[in-house]
């Protein structure tokens, strides 16, 4: 079959043929559920708003189904894959595209800013797009957000339940420290949901595409960002406990500390008996600043 007639990588028939040709098996331990629906793949590219003005980093290209669709729309695509077996396969499946670079590596061990500097020209917006390995979705999202790297957005597929946690509103049962971690620096939303049937092998759960757009101007400015993040994590440490009880665990239980905690809560106009899930990001910033004024330092764990 000539290249022109060959179905795209994300079609079920081509995926099957590639897996057979290279004698590949799916590695469950690496979260390998490959997308075999061209409509969904194209919808991801549209949701990520990838154009010829953009450079794209893809995490986990697999056999190249999403990479191919990204390359058709983007300026450059850099795809980082942990599974060594797939590197030569990608070299062949994506051989027609001059604007793709495939790297062997682990995203969690990769410094994003260095990657961007080394591989892109600095003249194009950088967008991160992926069908994430579900076993490490949260660490990957936190790793991407933790860095000062200069990228515009993250558009990624994940388990639907995790997507709901990432985008929840205060008071919702899914709202937690992960939600706040995402809302601190991005505007996020679920772009669309995807049934489990469009993957091989089919995962146990449905999925969703989450779009996170980094804000150009920082919206929140806690006095001490490290302590703010510890406050957020510590406040959700025991989700069923009140904020007050979590704060005692985080700052200590001495009378002196209790008095300072009470003052900080009063000046932030926050009821000690409520649960952390009722507090917005702005509430946490206010509380963190009041705690700074009381010179209270949260424990690191
Ligand atoms: N992009 C392909 C698709 O949509 O069909 C494959 C997606 S599959 C859900 C996740 C991919 O991430 C796999 O290819 C897996 O080997 C890769 N992966 C797993 N852990 C990784 C890590 N830490 N760093 C980079 N890639 C990883």
């Amino acid at each position: 079959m000539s290249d022109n007639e060959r179905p795209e990588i994300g079609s079920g028939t081509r995926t099957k043929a590639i897996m057979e040709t290279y004698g590949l098996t799916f590695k469950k331990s690496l979260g390998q559920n490959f997308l075999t629906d061209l409509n969904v793949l194209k919808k991801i590219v549209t949701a990520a708003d990838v154009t010829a003005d953009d450079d794209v980093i893809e995490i986990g290209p697999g056999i190249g189904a999403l990479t191919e669709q990204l390359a058709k729309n983007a300026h450059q695509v850099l795809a980082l894959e942990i599974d060594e077996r797939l590197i030569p396969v990608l070299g062949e499946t994506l051989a027609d595209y001059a604007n793709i670079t495939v790297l062997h590596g682990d995203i969690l061990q990769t410094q994003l800013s260095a990657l961007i500097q080394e591989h892109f020209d600095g003249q194009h917006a950088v967008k991160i797009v992926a069908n994430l390995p579900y076993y490490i979705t949260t660490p990957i999202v936190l790793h991407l957000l933790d860095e000062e790297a200069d990228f515009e957005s993250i558009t990624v597929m994940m388990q639907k339940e995790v997507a709901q946690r990432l985008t929840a509103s205060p008071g919702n049962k899914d709202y937690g420290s992960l939600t706040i971690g995402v809302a601190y620096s991005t505007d996020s939303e679920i772009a669309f949901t995807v049934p489990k049937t469009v993957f091989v092998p089919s995962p146990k759960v449905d999925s969703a595409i989450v779009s996170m757009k980094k804000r150009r101007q920082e919206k929140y400015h806690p006095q001490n960002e490290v302590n703010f993040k510890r406050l957020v994590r510590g406040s959700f440490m025991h989700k069923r406990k009140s904020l007050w009880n979590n704060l005692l665990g985080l700052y200590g239980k001495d009378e002196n500390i209790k008095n300072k905690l009470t003052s900080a809560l009063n000046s932030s106009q926050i009821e000690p008996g409520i649960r952390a899930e009722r507090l917005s990001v702005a509430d946490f910033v206010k509380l963190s600043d009041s705690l700074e004024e009381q010179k209270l330092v949260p424990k690191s764990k």
Side-chain angles (χ1 to χ4, degrees):
M1 201 183 284
S2 81
D3 282 358
N4 290 345
E5 299 166 47
R6 209 164 52 180
E8 292 172 290
I9 303 169
S11 67
T13 45
R14 180 87 187 281
T15 296
K16 192 160 176 266
I18 293 171
M19 296 301 284
E20 279 172 10
T21 305
Y22 295 94
L24 291 171
T25 48
F26 298 100
K27 275 198 182 168
K28 209 173 158 188
S29 61
L30 291 178
Q32 289 181 350
N33 300 94
F34 294 168
L35 255 172
T36 54
D37 186 311
L38 288 167
N39 283 331
V40 173
L41 287 160
K42 289 176 204 279
K43 263 177 90 173
I44 296 174
V45 178
T46 306
D49 193 24
V50 171
T51 72
D53 289 330
D54 303 318
D55 286 335
V56 175
I57 296 178
E58 187 197 1
I59 301 157
I63 55 170
L66 181 57
T67 328
E68 178 174 52
Q69 300 303 326
L70 290 167
K72 286 183 178 186
N73 292 273
H75 171 249
Q76 289 285 331
V77 180
L78 182 65
L80 184 72
E81 173 57 59
I82 200 171
D83 186 350
E84 208 167 0
R85 300 174 309 158
L86 300 177
I87 306 302
V89 178
L90 286 161
E92 291 189 27
T93 57
L94 301 172
D96 294 344
Y97 300 90
N99 60 343
I100 299 176
T101 306
V102 174
L103 292 180
H104 177 225
D106 177 349
I107 183 65
L108 294 177
Q109 305 297 327
T110 303
Q111 210 198 343
L112 215 57
S113 46
L115 207 65
I116 292 172
Q117 267 203 331
E118 200 176 320
H119 293 276
F120 295 147
D121 63 8
Q123 306 296 312
H124 298 80
V126 176
K127 295 178 176 172
I128 301 173
V129 187
N131 169 17
L132 289 177
Y134 291 178
Y135 73 109
I136 44 168
T137 298
T138 305
I140 291 178
V141 171
L142 293 177
H143 175 68
L144 299 176
L145 293 176
D146 213 33
E147 259 207 64
E148 293 292 303
D150 191 11
F151 63 85
E152 201 172 286
S153 61
I154 306 175
T155 308
V156 282
M157 173 104 78
M158 61 186 69
Q159 199 175 315
K160 197 167 128 193
E161 282 73 13
V162 181
Q164 284 162 342
R165 275 169 45 209
L166 248 68
T167 55
S169 306
N172 186 292
K173 69 172 174 38
D174 294 320
Y175 185 81
S177 56
L178 183 59
T179 324
I180 294 177
V182 170
Y184 183 67
S185 58
T186 74
D187 291 313
S188 71
E189 61 174 6
I190 293 182
F192 59 97
T193 55
V194 177
K196 44 183 169 266
T197 47
V198 298
F199 301 87
V200 282
S202 198
K204 289 203 174 66
V205 289
D206 288 334
S207 300
I209 287 283
V210 175
S211 143
M212 291 165 258
K213 294 205 175 75
K214 242 191 181 178
R215 283 184 213 107
R216 280 173 210 272
Q217 293 260 308
E218 282 175 16
K219 186 169 170 183
Y220 304 109
H221 306 92
Q223 285 171 29
N224 184 322
E225 198 175 72
V226 173
N227 287 348
F228 164 79
K229 288 182 177 172
R230 284 181 187 164
L231 166 67
V232 171
R233 267 198 309 273
S235 300
F236 287 97
M237 189 63 85
H238 305 283
K239 273 198 96 173
R240 300 179 67 82
K241 282 192 182 174
S242 65
L243 176 67
W244 176 253
N245 279 328
N246 276 315
L247 292 179
L248 293 184
L250 191 59
Y251 293 89
K253 296 186 172 104
D254 288 1
E255 270 323 297
N256 181 32
I257 291 178
K258 282 185 182 168
N259 289 337
K260 289 182 173 186
L261 282 174
T262 305
S263 298
L265 286 161
N266 276 340
S267 63
S268 321
Q269 294 174 305
I270 294 170
E271 280 290 318
I274 64 166
R275 287 195 186 145
E277 70 202 33
R278 306 218 69 88
L279 299 184
S280 66
V281 184
D283 290 332
F284 271 111
V285 172
K286 226 175 356 172
L287 179 57
S288 176
D289 287 351
S290 302
L291 291 161
E292 286 298 315
E293 274 149 33
Q294 296 292 333
K295 308 226 175 329
L296 285 173
V297 181
K299 293 174 191 161
S300 58
K301 281 276 170 195

